[in-house]
Amino acid sequence: MAPPAIDRSTNASVGRGPNFPGSGTAVVGLQWGDEGKGKVIDLLAGSFRAVVRYNGGANAGHSVVIDGKRHALHLIPSGAFHQGVMAVIGNGVVLDPDMLFVELDRLADAGIRSLDLAVSDRAHVVLPWHKAEDAAREIALAAITDGSGSGGSIGTTRRGIGPAYADKAHRAEAIRVGDLLRPASLRTKIAHVSARKEAMLRALDPSGAAAASLPAAAKMTDDLIRSGERLRPFVTDTMYLLHHMLNQGHNLLFEGANATLLDVDHGTFPFVTSSNCSVLGISTGTGVPGERLSRVIGVMKAYCTRVGGGPFPTEQDNDAGNRIRERGREYGTTTGRPRRCGWLDLVALRYAVMLNGVTGIALMLLDVLSGFEEVKVCKAYRLQGKTTDRFLPDAEALAEVEPIFETLEGWEAEISGCRSRDALPAAARAYVDFIEQAAGVPVDIVSVGPDREQTIRG
Ligand code: IMP
């Protein structure tokens, strides 16, 4: 049965609904991203009224399987393809309209036209100068440090994320989705800002190539006005929309993009992204306060990976790491870069569980560890001769720690056909129990393969 229509108008009832208020569930990555949040969201989304993105932009990447076909998405929330589920892009997202349209067009080509989408009028827009600045800064940083081409750079996705959030903080030069709907003032603003952006790009890249890559201000404005017209039917005050849904008794699923250890405040700064990708970003990124969250599902891999620069205490730049990369197909969805791979870091895991208020864990890619004679887990760090079980959310400090590993028995058998915890080999079961104990919260979901059915619940 189709769910009741949601009133998107600004007159929709607001305030605390006392009788049957809905609640929020958050799905958040506990490591450095790419934990498999897309699969977890796809498993759960059918029982929610909306899936809500609250942070990041087209730096995130997930693939969803619709009618047997795999689609790579960056901005559209995964899980939005279940009947009756609205896709909401909250105010905390930085939106690249062209990327969104590419996704919508690809989906339309695949015959998927019925996406119920709402976009916040307060989401910030990623503009061509943000992408040019992102790339120019990365190149400049790499050259300054050691000239090797990677030394000082953050290793961003070059999708303009950092510069777009910087403009949000600068305020005067930022463009929000709502601005795209006001052509006259948009034209004046772009004309003023583009001159300053060009000068800034010339300073960053004296060759002039970055500045020359920008479209002329008039053309950029025309393009943005067209984008605004295409977006107009979806644009609304999503904060009111979400509260209205909650007060009608609907449940919402908040989809974290990127992941906890990339959180700009709580991650391995400065090797982080520019938003609050932990659960803490939900309040600011949607306007829904934390008290409306009843469940936080932390998604983790059975090992660790990282893309881009920054410290990674349990990294295995050796046969073990290569084996994890090949078995786990650890190559980026957004950039195709090979991911750095390593053993599970329980210090980082406990930190992420604490920070997010995780109520249950989804343990992904356990099948990738099949065939290892033994598996290692990092139980603590050694720092300046002392043992610590504290995570250090600062790149320079974390780069100094040495992981203290415990070795556990591995398992030979393939487990992708297992459908219960009891069916797992004893060593794999012990590994799950070990994680549960270390994290202090239950493992609610164990994933043993990419397909929906390859899942152990409870
Ligand atoms: P940015 O978000 O493009 O500025 O990149 C900053 C850092 O975050 C880089 O190391 C990226 O590789 C990393 N990053 C951003 N988004 C993701 C993601 O969704 N998965 C994994 N890494 C990410």
Side-chain angles (χ1 to χ4, degrees):
M1 196 181 73
I6 295 294
D7 183 357
R8 293 184 184 220
S9 74
T10 43
N11 298 328
S13 70
V14 290
R16 289 295 305 264
N19 297 326
F20 303 104
S23 70
T25 291
V27 173
V28 66
L30 297 180
Q31 296 159 326
W32 281 286
D34 314 309
E35 294 91 351
K37 297 181 286 287
K39 174 172 168 175
V40 176
I41 285 163
D42 183 55
L43 284 171
L44 301 176
S47 34
F48 291 85
R49 186 62 185 87
V51 186
V52 188
R53 275 281 303 266
Y54 60 88
N55 78 296
N59 53 350
H62 42 250
S63 37
V64 288
V65 179
I66 309 161
D67 296 335
K69 267 203 207 142
R70 193 166 284 277
H71 301 268
L73 299 178
H74 301 283
L75 276 163
I76 297 175
S78 39
F81 303 97
H82 290 260
Q83 176 99 38
V85 179
M86 188 188 287
V88 180
I89 296 181
N91 59 278
V93 170
V94 285
L95 182 84
D96 181 338
D98 294 338
M99 292 289 296
L100 178 67
F101 298 150
V102 167
E103 286 180 25
L104 289 173
D105 290 344
R106 282 208 191 124
L107 291 168
D109 288 347
I112 302 153
R113 288 168 192 280
S114 59
L115 188 69
D116 187 9
L117 180 67
V119 177
S120 168
D121 55 353
R122 282 181 267 156
H124 282 246
V125 180
V126 178
L127 296 159
W129 47 63
H130 295 136
K131 286 183 266 192
E133 182 184 346
D134 197 356
R137 281 191 189 279
E138 284 288 279
I139 293 165
L141 276 172
I144 287 167
T145 308
D146 60 9
S148 71
S150 67
S153 60
I154 290 170
T156 73
T157 59
R158 301 193 180 191
R159 295 285 167 97
I161 305 299
Y165 278 114
D167 269 354
K168 177 176 177 173
H170 284 314
R171 295 151 294 168
E173 295 185 349
I175 307 281
R176 306 200 292 183
V177 167
D179 296 324
L180 303 185
L181 309 184
R182 295 185 282 262
S185 52
L186 181 69
R187 196 167 290 284
T188 313
K189 192 162 183 184
I190 295 281
H192 283 307
V193 177
S194 72
R196 288 200 291 277
K197 292 293 183 186
E198 234 185 276
M200 179 267 298
L201 286 174
R202 271 187 212 293
L204 269 178
D205 172 14
S207 81
S213 73
L214 293 185
K219 176 174 184 324
M220 197 190 293
T221 314
D222 292 342
D223 291 345
L224 288 171
I225 291 170
R226 261 195 304 278
S227 295
E229 282 316 306
R230 188 163 173 193
L231 282 174
R232 194 183 285 278
F234 309 117
V235 178
T236 188
D237 184 330
T238 50
M239 190 262 194
Y240 271 104
L241 175 70
L242 295 173
H243 279 272
H244 175 61
M245 285 197 250
L246 286 168
N247 293 341
Q248 299 270 302
H250 295 295
N251 295 328
L252 307 177
L253 187 61
F254 293 93
E255 171 175 334
N258 329 121
T260 301
L261 303 180
L262 293 171
D263 185 289
V264 66
D265 283 287
H266 301 286
T268 49
F269 194 89
F271 296 96
V272 292
T273 189
S274 305
S275 66
N276 287 116
C277 18
S278 65
V279 159
L280 305 177
I282 292 176
S283 302
T284 52
T286 65
V288 175
E291 64 158 352
R292 303 305 293 258
L293 284 183
S294 60
R295 205 175 157 204
V296 177
I297 300 167
V299 187
M300 61 176 283
K301 286 179 186 178
Y303 47 89
C304 285
T305 63
R306 172 159 212 176
V307 230
F312 179 1
T314 61
E315 182 169 14
Q316 299 298 300
D317 191 9
N318 53 28
D319 284 351
N322 293 340
R323 192 160 154 188
I324 291 174
R325 182 176 311 107
E326 293 317 310
R327 275 198 60 110
R329 290 183 298 248
E330 293 292 358
Y331 295 87
T333 322
T334 301
T335 58
R337 291 179 287 180
R339 297 179 184 139
R340 299 157 64 193
C341 298
W343 298 117
L344 183 58
D345 185 339
L346 294 177
V347 180
L349 178 68
R350 283 191 296 261
Y351 171 79
V353 165
M354 173 174 73
L355 183 75
N356 289 297
V358 168
T359 57
I361 282 176
L363 174 63
M364 313 304 285
L365 293 141
L366 185 63
D367 52 303
V368 172
L369 294 185
S370 285
F372 276 101
E373 230 167 78
E374 43 188 40
V375 287
K376 294 188 180 184
V377 288
C378 167
K379 288 188 76 176
Y381 298 148
R382 189 167 295 116
L383 179 65
Q384 293 162 355
K386 292 201 179 112
T387 301
T388 177
D389 60 0
R390 275 194 176 210
F391 188 69
L392 304 169
D394 174 90
E396 236 178 289
L398 190 65
E400 278 189 36
V401 307
E402 233 183 88
I404 303 174
F405 285 116
E406 179 167 334
T407 302
L408 305 175
E409 198 189 326
W411 58 94
E412 269 305 315
E414 289 299 333
I415 58 171
S416 45
C418 295
R419 296 292 177 267
S420 71
R421 254 158 102 160
D422 288 344
L424 290 171
R429 221 167 38 236
Y431 191 65
V432 179
D433 293 346
F434 189 88
I435 290 171
E436 204 158 55
Q437 277 223 329
V441 287
V443 172
D444 292 333
I445 294 171
V446 179
S447 176
V448 291
D451 295 339
R452 240 184 230 192
E453 308 74 58
Q454 292 176 309
T455 307
I456 299 171
R457 302 254 201 165

